[in-house]
């Protein structure tokens, strides 16, 4: 990675840490991102315990599950622009410091309402800190050094998100339900101290005013969209979904008009129209959404069908995390040698193989090797594709406006995860319900159950377990039918993943520039990067505006 440039002359340096070794700075930024990634994925494991402890309904639990990603995704574009203008380091420190407070509030929440507020607040803190880490990497590094730094940031960050369920499952066996939210507090404190000491301030920041109206509209637009997607499968929410849909349409229309006519738009749609930007954004959305969708369906499969405990199910994802960490640094070399297009397509091949393994191998009596193989393939694919997607986004904008690109990179995870998890969940539920209805009709014993019991059986695997516990004489038949029905439903989810990956591959193949053209465009879009690159591709340490 090299060390910080010693031969450069800082322009009005405002921070003595500008000469900190580049490895320490990068490690600090990755640690800050890891706090956000861990917090994003720890809540789901604790939902049953939260429901029991706080007497929460299923709708309330759904809101707790989505609260963090709601705060994060709704705020990243706005906070990215604020960091570009008023100071990325200050925003990073603010978000990381407040994370500690909101994590402690979540851990000791006296009610589900307070927990929801704490999780949204934690997501807003992540919206300050998480995109700022990528923005700082893009401002501090250039050339091949930036590609390598983004590769490590992307791969290790995604691995932490995958490890969240395992870590949360372990602490739940030792402590109370709130411990999953306190899990990241020591990491956040360490990250805050390191960032305060090591991260340079005011590197290539903008002097243009922030479009606060556009920022407010982006919060309404993305927040309503993410909330609506996550509530699609929740029953009896038609009115709320209609309101959210109206907000999306209204705020979205106003936002687009505002960005087209504002003197200094929050989200420059002309920049977003660049092929190295919008294609990378969509490609990353599909690839990270595929990871979140695979983790979601896979957790249900392992616990419902294979009978894994929550800890065992979380541990089963480890091959995916290992694959991401090992492959991500190598993806940087592939980007430099062959370009982003080839590297992204290589990653798509592995994700496609991962979904194919789920479709063909995941059965009721399958061994762990098939589970680990599928996650390993998906992890390798994400490790390969995540680097070129994020690197292309940040390389498509002026470094003073990199907050727009880093915010988009974060939306890839949150919006992609919301879309594909919702789609996978809906297909799984539909396939499960149809198969269970057939099983109930074909079994003379089960057909004697009341209509309400049959409806509960068809609703979910958890509902089937509840009916089985109430009627032990039918328990074996009910559980067997539920497992068979789940396997019928998850096939549709895996097929949806395959279709999404194929469409993403086609988009990259057709619309993303080849290597030489990509380099030409990058030099045009971000000429200052080439002019200021250090001899080793290390961080640009000038700290003046």
């Amino acid at each position: 990675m090299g060390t910080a440039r010693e031969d450069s002359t800082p322009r009005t340096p405002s921070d003595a840490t500008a000469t900190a070794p580049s490895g320490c700075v990068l490690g600090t930024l990755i640690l800050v991102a890891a706090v956000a990634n861990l917090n994003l994925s720890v809540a789901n494991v604790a939902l049953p315990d939260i429901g029991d402890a706080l007497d929460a309904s299923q709708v309330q639990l759904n809101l707790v599950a989505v609260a963090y990603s709601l705060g994060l995704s709704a705020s990243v574009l706005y906070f990215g622009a604020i960091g570009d203008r008023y100071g990325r380091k200050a925003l990073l420190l603010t978000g990381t410091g407040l994370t500690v407070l909101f994590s402690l509030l979540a851990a000791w929440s006296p009610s589900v309402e307070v927990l929801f507020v704490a999780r949204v607040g934690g997501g807003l803190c992540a919206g300050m800190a998480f995109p700022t880490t990528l923005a700082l990497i893009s401002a501090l590094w250039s050339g091949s050094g930036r590609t390598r730094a983004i590769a490590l940031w992307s791969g290790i960050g995604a691995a932490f998100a995958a490890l969240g369920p395992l870590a949360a499952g372990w602490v739940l066996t030792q402590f109370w339900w709130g411990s999953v939210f306190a899990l990241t507090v020591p990491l956040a404190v360490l990250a805050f101290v390191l960032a305060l000491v090591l991260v340079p301030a005011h590197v290539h920041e903008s002097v243009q005013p922030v479009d606060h109206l556009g920022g407010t509209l982006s919060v309404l637009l993305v927040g309503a969209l993410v909330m609506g997607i996550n509530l699609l499968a929740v029953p009896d929410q038609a009115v709320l979904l209609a309101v959210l849909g109206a907000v999306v349409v209204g705020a979205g229309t106003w936002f687009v008009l505002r960005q087209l006519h504002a003197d200094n738009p929050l989200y420059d749609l002309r920049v977003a129209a660049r092929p190295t930007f919008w294609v990378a954004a969509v490609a990353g959305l599909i690839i990270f959404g595929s990871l979140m969708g695979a983790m979601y369906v896979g957790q249900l499969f392992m616990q419902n069908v294979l009978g894994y405990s929550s800890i065992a199910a979380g541990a089963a994802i480890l091959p995916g995390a290992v694959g991401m960490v090992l492959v991500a640094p190598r993806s940087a070399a592939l980007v430099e040698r062959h370009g982003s297009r080839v590297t992204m397509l290589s990653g798509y091949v592995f994700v496609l193989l991962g979904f194919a393994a789920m479709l063909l191998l995941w059965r009721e009596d399958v061994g762990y090797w098939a589970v680990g193989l599928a996650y390993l393939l998906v992890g390798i694919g994400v490790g390969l594709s995540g680097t070129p997607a994020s690197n292309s986004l940040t390389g498509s904008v002026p470094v003073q406006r990199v907050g727009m690109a880093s915010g988009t990179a974060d939306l890839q995870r949150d919006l992609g995860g919301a879309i594909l998890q919702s789609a996978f969940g809906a297909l799984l539920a539909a396939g499960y319900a149809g198969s269970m209805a057939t099983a109930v009709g074909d079994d003379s014993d089960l057909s004697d159950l009341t209509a309400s019991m049959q409806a509960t059986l068809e609703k979910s695997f958890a509902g089937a377990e509840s009916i089985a516990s109430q009627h032990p004489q039918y328990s074996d038949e009910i559980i067997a039918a539920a497992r068979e029905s789940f396997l019928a439903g998850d096939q549709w989810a895996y097929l949806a993943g395959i279709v999404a990956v194929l469409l993403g591959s086609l988009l990259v193949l057709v619309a993303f520039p080849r290597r030489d053209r990509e380099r030409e465009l990058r030099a045009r879009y971000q000429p200052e990067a080439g002019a200021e690159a250090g001899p080793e591709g290390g961080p640009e340490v000038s700290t003046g505006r």
Side-chain angles (χ1 to χ4, degrees), residues 234-527:
V234 179
D236 303 322
Q237 297 298 317
V239 174
L240 178 57
L241 287 171
V243 172
L244 292 172
V247 172
V248 170
V249 173
T253 302
W254 194 358
F255 179 77
V256 171
L257 293 175
R258 171 71 181 177
Q259 301 316 294
L260 289 174
H261 296 98
D263 293 334
N264 189 58
L266 178 93
Y267 199 84
D268 194 331
L269 297 179
R270 297 171 185 83
V271 171
R274 294 170 176 173
T276 53
F277 192 98
W278 77 266
V279 177
V282 176
L285 184 147
I286 292 174
I287 208 72
F288 288 114
S290 297
L291 171 65
M292 302 304 291
M295 288 173 58
Y296 170 70
V297 177
Q299 286 290 308
L300 295 175
F301 166 74
M302 286 183 283
Q303 295 186 50
N304 292 343
V305 177
L306 300 184
Y308 285 14
S309 66
S310 59
I311 295 181
I317 303 176
L318 283 174
V322 171
M324 283 183 270
V325 172
L326 292 180
V327 169
R330 290 159 178 79
S331 69
L334 290 176
V335 170
E336 294 299 319
R337 187 178 303 118
H338 302 292
S340 299
R341 180 173 177 267
V342 170
T343 309
M344 277 192 282
L345 288 173
S346 300
Y348 268 105
V349 169
F350 280 95
V351 176
L352 182 65
L353 291 174
F355 277 113
M358 297 175 198
L359 179 67
L360 299 175
L361 301 177
W362 284 13
R363 296 289 186 265
E364 185 173 353
D365 57 349
V366 72
Y368 170 72
W369 68 270
V371 176
L373 174 63
Y375 277 123
L376 176 63
L377 292 169
V378 172
I380 291 173
V382 173
L384 285 172
S385 295
T387 297
S390 298
N391 188 57
S392 184
L393 286 172
T394 57
S396 300
V397 300
V399 72
Q400 292 82 4
R401 293 291 306 276
V402 76
M404 169 183 167
S406 60
T408 303
D410 295 333
L411 276 180
Q412 290 176 333
R413 290 166 170 80
D414 297 301
L415 194 55
I419 291 172
L420 289 189
Q421 280 192 51
S422 179
F424 288 5
L427 289 169
L428 172 61
Y432 173 89
S435 179
M436 179 59 82
T438 301
V440 170
D442 292 342
D443 191 308
S444 58
D445 291 333
L446 297 183
S447 61
D448 292 336
L449 296 174
T450 65
S452 62
M453 291 180 179
Q454 292 183 24
T456 302
L457 287 176
E458 296 170 17
K459 186 176 181 180
S460 67
F461 194 97
E465 288 183 318
S466 176
I467 297 297
S469 65
Q470 298 171 24
H471 300 274
Q473 68 274 29
Y474 302 137
S475 178
D476 292 341
E477 293 92 329
I478 291 174
I479 296 301
R483 285 175 174 162
E484 183 179 343
S485 299
F486 185 97
L487 291 172
D490 70 357
Q491 298 291 294
W492 291 104
Y494 306 143
L495 284 171
I498 289 173
V499 170
V501 171
L502 288 174
L503 290 175
S505 301
L506 181 63
L507 174 66
V508 173
L509 183 66
V510 172
F512 199 91
R514 296 178 183 271
R515 184 193 65 177
D516 292 342
R517 178 59 176 164
E518 178 191 5
R519 290 178 176 174
E520 292 175 9
L521 293 173
R522 183 184 293 269
R524 182 194 307 170
Y525 297 154
Q526 206 175 65

